[in-house]
Amino acid sequence: MATRLQFENNVEVGVFSKLTNAYCLVAIGDSENFYSAFQSELAGVIPIVKTDIGGIRSIGSLCAGNKNGLLVPHTTTDQELQHLRNSLPDQVVVQRIDERLSALGNCIACNDHVALAHPDLEKETEEIIADVLGVEVFRQTIAEKILVGSYCALSNRGGIVHPHTSVEDLNELSTLLQVPLVAGTVNRSDVVGAGIAVNDWTAFCGSDTTATELSVIDSIFKLRQAQPSSIVDEMRKSLIDTYV
Amino acid sequence: MSVMDQDSGMFKVQQTIGSVLCCKCGVPMPPNAANMCVNCLRSEVDITEGLQKSIQIFYCPECGCYLQPPKTWIKAQWESKELLTFCIKRLKNLNKVKLKNAEFVWTEPHSKRIKVKITVQAEVLNGAVLEQSYPVEYTVRDNLCESCSRFQANPDQWVASVQLRQHVSHRRTFFYLEQLILKHDAASRAIRIQQVDQGIDFFFGNKSHANSFVEFLRKVVPIEYRQDQQLVSHDVKSSLYNYKYTYSVKICPVCREDLICLPSKVASGLGNLGPLVVCTKVSDSITLLDPRTLRCAFLDARQYWRSGFRSALTSRQLVKYFVFDVEPPVGEATVGGQKYALSYVQIARESDIGKMFYVQTYLGHILKPGDQALGYDIYGANVNDDEMEKYRLSVRNGLPEAILIKKCYDEQREKKKGKPRRFTTKKLPMEMDESRGSRVDPEKMENEYEEFLRDLEENPELRFNISLYKNKDYQDSETASMTDGEGAPSVPIEELLAELELSEEEDDDNEEDMDE
């Protein structure tokens, strides 16, 4: 079930947080409301880390990551990098990369298996992404928009893209990403990636999101039946094939 | 599915727009800038907010005009295009949105309400353009406009009048002037037109209208005029004086086909033009033709009124002559578009065929033996003119016995007697002057008008400034004068205008089309 919240009266939740299956980053706000909303959902399941990147609070736009790793831009200070390395679980590789397009969250949309990249990213960066995050990288545009991270919200179970995406593009992307995709809106706006923070069992979106949009989100990301424990149960089912 | 783009040679995939759910109501719709379906958008945003929905307009029931403040009254029919334009102009704030369409919604005329449905377009929320229609109600209030209220107070109210007079015994000039005025629409603003003995009175509501009418007259006939005014009322506080203006206009009494004996001063001033001259054309200047030398002179109004001579003999005194012999012309001239040929002819009066005259005439180019002609009988006439007497005494050989003016077509006209003419003319709405004990004999008027029409037929240059309309009752007969070379002249069909007729049904149809 998706939760509606705001960061200091701003509905762009995806800009101020980064949610993956292994960890969650939130921006430092004057009040604790944002952090406590995440905490109520995720406490004890995955670590929630409060951080800035280069002193800027819009961390969701600046970094990109999944359960395998986290990529931060060259503007990240050494203290922040150290703080991240300390707080995140050991299997998560934190890597600072030197890239002209430093808003990595806007340029890269990824889940645990596949990533979409800005067409103008450097070859080196693409290789690093494939290496650190352990994903297959595709350079793509979504409905003629090059900032794929902003216009696409992706999890392992589904994704939402910009509402003006044509049917052919949707099919193409869906084949590439191997997940079901839907063209829709979040917070009544076109910028879907910036408006929502999503992982496999939960999602957080801005308070302007209407009930219709919420139902679309719930259905495409399959959030209704998803509980952290149920994922573990499913894994157990697939692991154990015989009872002795 | 895929289309080769011929211009750039690129491989373009066909794009079909998918559908997204409206963020409010969840109905599938094509994506738009507001991400809401039209109904949700309409419920969110009202672009007609702040626009006028009801307004009052004033209507004058006498003349059917609507008031555009502060002072203009615009004439418009019920549910017409002009009324629609006027209604939309009265709405304020309409420049904030784009007007797409406006049409009338039917209301009962008695209800004094006009309803207009207006469709506007405006931009809302990140670039989505929304179209919305809404009705505007106009309350019509009756209010007499100033001119109607003034007219109601005193219907005979006029501010300026033009008294047009010509001191001659016939009304030919006024018939011709009537046609000219109709053609140029010069008297369209006259409140009243009254016919009086030897003239016509025109009444106007405005001094400038009268002034422009006098200016028009000055261009078409030689006139002399004076202007007088009479005080009607005087507002002491604001020093406003109300006057009644009268223009007294005199038309020069010399007409076409008149025989004139010029006073010696005028004759020498015109280069010793033989004192006996014939007036051939009157427009804004008089054309005088010397029948012996075929020389023409032009006198404009000012030059004429300096001497103010009168005609010796007028067209009333024309006498019929039989032409027996025409000698070949001794001289030819073309003056002002008219051809003249000087030759000697043998003629005799119809009343006294025994007495033959051998005279010179300028009609040598059209007269043939056996023709009839009209001319002045100077031999037998008793002319009451001082100049003529002086001239008669001074000249050695005596005056010419007769001066022929024009060819006579009476015989040919006999054949066409009673048949309607091919053309008709329109008339000005004139009132007859009843008060002075009618000196005007209706039969005489008819005869004069008939002569005027004959004049029109014979002279193409007279028809130049006039509109003649096709006579619906006229049928082309086989014995038409077109085939007969000797027939009486008539107006060729190319010069006639078809009358413009607007039927009621056509008008209504047009209006309905416009409303849709």
Side-chain angles (χ1 to χ4, degrees), chain B residues 106-380:
Chain B
W106 185 82
T107 47
E108 177 74 48
H110 278 294
S111 65
K112 297 283 180 197
R113 300 277 185 278
I114 298 175
K115 279 216 179 92
V116 178
K117 190 161 85 141
I118 296 190
T119 316
V120 289
Q121 244 183 19
E123 200 185 278
V124 294
L125 287 194
N126 7 319
V129 174
L130 189 63
E131 197 177 276
Q132 191 172 344
S133 26
Y134 66 102
V136 181
E137 191 175 309
Y138 295 85
T139 312
V140 178
R141 285 190 54 185
D142 283 345
N143 191 344
L144 274 185
C145 61
E146 297 105 42
S147 41
C148 287
S149 46
R150 234 184 280 136
F151 183 74
Q152 286 279 357
N154 181 5
D156 280 330
Q157 187 82 282
W158 52 267
V159 176
S161 80
V162 175
Q163 293 172 333
L164 192 60
R165 301 283 181 270
Q166 190 187 33
H167 299 297
V168 285
S169 53
H170 58 81
R171 290 193 74 95
R172 264 184 5 200
T173 320
F174 291 112
F175 293 140
Y176 179 62
L177 256 183
E178 184 183 352
Q179 295 304 319
L180 267 185
I181 290 172
L182 277 170
K183 166 116 188 204
H184 291 96
D185 235 358
S188 54
R189 294 181 291 191
I191 302 176
R192 207 153 59 100
I193 304 173
Q194 192 175 38
Q195 194 181 51
V196 292
D197 181 37
Q198 290 199 337
I200 308 180
D201 281 349
F202 295 85
F203 297 96
F204 296 91
N206 203 320
K207 183 175 180 235
S208 56
H209 297 164
N211 214 352
S212 58
F213 184 67
V214 172
E215 287 302 310
F216 165 74
L217 287 177
R218 215 149 60 88
K219 286 196 206 91
V220 295
V221 279
I223 59 170
E224 188 188 50
Y225 71 95
R226 56 173 282 160
Q227 183 212 335
D228 297 294
Q229 56 202 30
Q230 181 190 8
L231 187 65
V232 171
S233 65
H234 168 210
D235 183 353
V236 180
K237 294 240 175 77
S238 60
S239 257
L240 279 177
Y241 297 81
N242 253 348
Y243 288 103
K244 269 196 182 176
Y245 304 91
T246 307
Y247 290 82
S248 177
V249 179
K250 261 194 306 193
I251 304 183
C252 142
V254 171
C255 303
R256 277 182 62 245
E257 300 166 1
D258 279 359
L259 185 70
I260 306 160
C261 189
L262 293 173
S264 51
K265 261 209 188 149
V266 180
S268 48
L270 291 173
N272 263 337
L273 204 61
L276 277 181
V277 287
V278 174
C279 174
T280 47
K281 183 168 165 191
V282 174
S283 63
D284 60 337
S285 58
I286 313 168
T287 310
L288 302 169
L289 172 72
D290 183 350
R292 277 199 300 204
T293 59
L294 288 189
R295 221 167 30 109
C296 259
F298 300 92
L299 276 183
D300 72 1
R302 244 177 323 136
Q303 283 172 304
Y304 170 78
W305 289 106
R306 245 182 257 146
S307 45
F309 52 83
R310 295 198 62 118
S311 331
L313 289 168
T314 64
S315 50
R316 281 271 171 84
Q317 282 103 13
L318 280 172
V319 167
K320 238 194 237 179
Y321 287 86
F322 281 115
V323 177
F324 291 111
D325 191 23
V326 180
E327 287 181 20
V330 296
E332 277 182 5
T334 309
V335 179
Q338 280 275 53
K339 236 179 55 141
Y340 299 115
L342 202 55
S343 56
Y344 282 92
V345 290
Q346 263 202 333
I347 53 176
R349 284 170 293 185
E350 191 189 20
S351 50
D352 186 10
I353 298 200
K355 180 89 172 109
M356 300 272 256
F357 297 107
Y358 189 67
V359 292
Q360 212 182 33
T361 174
Y362 60 82
L363 297 173
H365 59 298
I366 46 174
L367 285 180
K368 285 186 263 323
D371 272 348
Q372 285 180 332
L374 290 168
Y376 292 112
D377 180 20
I378 303 177
Y379 171 79

Side-chain angles (χ1 to χ4, degrees), chain A residues 166-168 183 190 210 212-213, chain B residues 14-16 20 23-24 26 31 35:
Chain A
S166 69
V167 172
E168 287 84 14
D190 297 346
T210 60
T212 321
E213 289 170 346
Chain B
Q14 190 181 33
Q15 310 276 15
T16 21
V20 293
C23 67
K24 274 188 83 173
N35 295 319

